[in-house]
Amino acid sequence: MPALTLATDAATISPLALFLQADIVVKGVMAGLLLASIWTWAIIIGFGVSLGRARKGCAKFENDFWQTEDIDRFYETRAKSDLPSAKVMAAGVAEWRRSTAAKTIDRDGTRDRLATAMSSASAAEIDRLSDRLNILATIGSVAPFVGLFGTVWGIMRAFTSIAAEQNSSLAVVAPGIAEALFATAIGLFAAIPAVIAYNRFSHGINRLEARLNRFADAFYATLSRELEAPR
């Protein structure tokens, strides 16, 4: 008989049982946090793949770019690539062609426009890649408080049950408190991966931004030297 009682108690406080026995408000909190956790992992997987592909693709693209002897031909064949480095190169070449099309070239103005065009392209690509990072930041900061709200609500409900039954035994108090604490646990389950992923991906985005800026600076220097060549 004691073994049967223990098995029953364990089933009563299982995660599924805690969810089913919870108040409608706590159920809503738990369901929302579970959806947030699923959303978090979907973003982590998708963003990780996208960032890794962009980093490797940019490294190969830049290596091929610096090995080419004909920038115009390279531009014609690779300008339509979705890689961030390709977008920076395309912005630089397009501005170069517009600025040098006239008979008289304003060298200082061309340099300024080249720098602005490539800097803007780099910033736009970083914004595009980091678009979903704010979702991770929001989940990481809000989920614990949402879980805490479920905990507070569940504990209030447990105290209400104690007052109604006029019984403060563990058998009466435990289920309500367990439901309440389970809401906090789910909140942390959603928040912790989101915070870790946000910090990790932010570091990766910063490294990629630095790489794009170095590429833009090197390409700018190349075009600047071209401006100094006699025509």
Side-chain angles (χ1 to χ4, degrees):
M1 183 64 68
L4 179 60
T5 301
L6 289 175
T8 303
D9 293 341
T12 302
I13 61 173
S14 67
L16 180 59
L18 290 175
F19 175 78
L20 295 176
Q21 296 167 8
D23 177 77
I24 185 63
V25 175
V26 181
K27 279 183 180 178
V29 169
M30 292 180 180
L33 291 172
L34 285 173
L35 290 176
S37 179
I38 294 172
W39 195 9
T40 294
W41 282 106
I43 293 175
I44 289 173
I45 295 172
F47 195 91
V49 171
S50 298
L51 185 59
R53 186 184 295 119
R55 186 168 56 246
K56 292 179 181 178
C58 286
K60 185 178 185 306
F61 179 91
E62 293 172 22
N63 184 62
D64 294 342
F65 177 81
W66 293 120
Q67 289 182 355
T68 188
E69 296 180 356
D70 189 343
I71 293 179
D72 288 328
R73 184 176 179 183
F74 187 88
Y75 170 80
E76 297 299 334
T77 57
R78 305 286 290 275
K80 294 183 179 180
S81 173
D82 289 333
L83 291 171
S85 294
K87 299 294 185 181
V88 172
M89 178 204 69
V93 173
E95 182 56 45
W96 168 266
R97 289 181 174 181
R98 285 193 296 267
S99 297
T100 58
K103 293 182 179 180
T104 303
I105 300 175
D106 180 4
R107 288 181 169 82
D108 292 335
T110 298
R111 289 190 179 95
D112 291 340
R113 288 190 292 271
L114 285 171
T116 300
M118 288 189 286
S119 177
S120 297
S122 176
E125 289 303 299
I126 292 300
D127 287 342
R128 180 180 64 84
L129 284 173
S130 60
D131 181 54
R132 290 178 293 174
L133 280 183
N134 63 323
I135 299 175
L136 292 179
T138 301
I139 293 175
S141 59
V142 172
F145 294 101
V146 176
L148 182 60
F149 169 75
T151 297
V152 172
W153 187 274
I155 291 176
M156 289 171 57
R157 182 167 171 263
F159 284 144
T160 302
S161 299
I162 292 173
E165 298 185 20
Q166 296 182 352
N167 187 350
S168 60
S169 67
L170 186 61
V172 175
V173 178
I177 294 179
E179 295 165 13
L181 294 177
F182 187 50
T184 297
I186 297 177
L188 294 175
F189 181 75
I192 291 173
V195 172
I196 294 174
Y198 175 80
N199 291 332
R200 182 62 182 170
F201 289 149
S202 294
H203 177 66
I205 285 291
N206 290 338
R207 290 182 61 188
L208 181 60
E209 183 178 14
R211 183 186 194 98
L212 289 179
N213 289 337
R214 288 194 300 269
F215 175 68
D217 289 343
F219 190 32
Y220 171 83
T222 299
L223 295 177
S224 182
R225 286 193 296 269
E226 186 68 20
L227 282 173
E228 298 298 329
R231 295 178 178 274

